[in-house]
Amino acid sequence: MARRPHVRLSAIATAVLALEAAGCGCPDADSKETGKFEGVVKGPDLKNAREDGKSDADRCEAACRVVAGEELDDVETCDAVGPADAPERPWAEGVEQITVTCTATYTLHQFCTGRRPQGHQEADIAVQSRADWFAVHAHLERAAVTAFRELAEWLTGRGAPAGLAARCRDAAADEVRHANALEALARRDGAEVPLPRADPPVDDLFAVACHNAVEGCVSEAFAAVVAAHQAAHARSLELRVLFTRIAADELRHGQLAWDLHAWLWDRLTPAQQTAVAALQARALLDLPANSRRAAAATPRELGWPGPDHAAHMAQLFARRLRDAAGLAA
């Protein structure tokens, strides 16, 4: 079988995001959404809302925007409640914090997760809130630490280029930072993060090649594209900054997967190459449906595209990747 062409993942990711930004018939581009927001406002935020608003309605709207962490279009309903000893006087001088509940519309300006180790055992976490989402992804990022450390050790034992093993160790350090950041968010929202569990890895070149072709070259590579979308669309500055860092790291990890794929490919038999290519093609074919399901379970405030949008992005990504890698559709 012919040598695989070199895949430049950054070019593919940029093309997918650019096509989405141009519209491309994406069904939910620039969609108007309505959300309910609730939270506590205190300190300088409460002081500013109290002093800047000309009426209680204006003050409540300003507080709603603090709670939402988003540039809202219109605040439709808003209710502010003071402390227990003065619930009906939230804007009185001396009140230190209030609770705000509001509904508001906002526009989603749409463009038109880490590597699991071998033998990974999925955690039983039902994603029903943002806390659950953070817990699941912190869990997966922690699992990715093990994946990259095992891969670095395996490559060293196989006499692979030192640069590949070093990049795996760097990726493990990235995943530690991702896991710590997401775990802090999960705990802040009241969720616990289970430790990852995995069976021992298989010490076999073909098994490593199969795992990398799917988990690294497809899943982790597309995760970089989704993280870039989150960096642009998450509803809080804190999350946009976090996902910007994660997107850049995951793009490097995805490129590492493709560089490793090229090194492994040359060491496979023709029959093994055919099998690996078939697994990779299958993973790309399944990517839109998997992305649709993941999007449906993700709170929109975290910047994921909607289910139809996510499937469309995955289709574009799969098509571009198949063309670059010379894979059959």
Side-chain angles (χ1 to χ4, degrees):
M1 187 172 288
R3 188 183 184 94
R4 282 289 182 209
H6 181 66
V7 171
R8 290 181 60 245
L9 187 61
S10 61
I12 295 170
T14 299
V16 170
L17 293 170
L19 286 170
E20 288 294 316
C24 304
C26 186
D28 58 351
D30 291 347
S31 60
K32 186 83 73 175
E33 298 284 331
T34 300
K36 181 177 180 180
F37 306 94
E38 181 176 354
V40 171
V41 179
K42 57 185 178 179
D45 291 328
L46 177 57
K47 182 176 183 292
N48 291 338
R50 180 187 293 123
E51 295 178 354
D52 295 345
K54 296 180 180 179
S55 66
D56 286 353
D58 290 342
R59 296 178 186 111
C60 197
E61 178 174 330
C64 176
R65 294 180 185 277
V66 171
V67 169
E70 170 73 7
E71 294 184 3
L72 303 174
D73 294 329
D74 297 296
V75 176
E76 298 178 343
T77 65
C78 192
D79 182 48
V81 179
D85 58 347
E88 298 179 356
R89 301 179 62 239
W91 307 112
E93 290 293 337
V95 171
E96 295 182 353
Q97 71 175 43
I98 64 172
T99 300
V100 174
T101 304
C102 57
T103 58
T105 60
Y106 53 92
T107 300
L108 289 176
H109 300 291
Q110 305 276 11
F111 291 124
C112 222
T113 210
R115 172 191 289 253
R116 293 167 173 80
Q118 288 190 62
H120 175 73
Q121 299 178 23
E122 296 291 344
D124 185 16
I125 305 176
V127 179
Q128 298 176 330
S129 67
R130 58 176 266 156
D132 297 332
W133 191 94
F134 287 137
V136 166
H137 285 76
H139 167 82
L140 291 175
E141 297 286 4
R142 194 73 69 189
V145 177
T146 299
F148 279 116
R149 286 175 177 171
E150 289 178 347
L151 191 53
E153 183 177 352
W154 184 87
L155 287 167
T156 300
R158 287 278 177 158
L164 285 176
R167 289 165 67 189
C168 287
R169 288 189 289 271
D170 289 343
D174 292 338
E175 302 291 16
V176 169
R177 290 190 292 272
H178 300 173
N180 289 344
L182 291 169
E183 184 168 341
L185 290 170
R187 293 186 184 280
R188 191 173 74 186
D189 283 357
E192 292 297 319
V193 179
L195 291 174
R197 295 185 299 166
D199 297 328
V202 178
D203 183 16
D204 175 76
L205 188 142
F206 178 58
V208 171
C210 289
H211 182 263
N212 179 71
V214 173
E215 193 65 31
C217 295
V218 176
S219 297
E220 189 166 33
F222 185 63
V225 177
V226 174
H229 190 279
Q230 290 182 277
H233 298 290
R235 291 187 204 157
S236 75
L237 177 60
E238 176 187 31
L239 292 180
R240 290 195 292 271
V241 170
L242 172 61
F243 291 132
T244 296
R245 292 198 301 266
I246 290 177
D249 291 343
E250 296 298 350
L251 189 62
R252 289 198 306 275
H253 302 172
Q255 186 62 60
L256 168 59
W258 278 100
D259 294 346
L260 176 59
H261 179 72
W263 184 81
L264 291 165
W265 184 265
D266 292 340
R267 286 153 183 77
L268 297 172
T269 67
Q272 289 174 333
Q273 289 177 346
T274 299
V276 169
L279 281 174
Q280 202 168 61
R282 180 75 247 180
L284 288 171
L285 191 63
D286 291 342
L287 191 62
N290 292 339
S291 300
R292 184 187 299 275
R293 285 192 294 270
T298 300
R300 293 297 293 275
E301 67 188 277
L302 302 182
W304 255 70
D308 289 343
H309 189 175
H312 184 63
M313 285 178 65
Q315 288 168 352
L316 287 173
F317 176 81
R319 184 167 67 244
R320 291 271 174 163
L321 200 52
R322 274 193 293 264
D323 291 345
L327 292 169

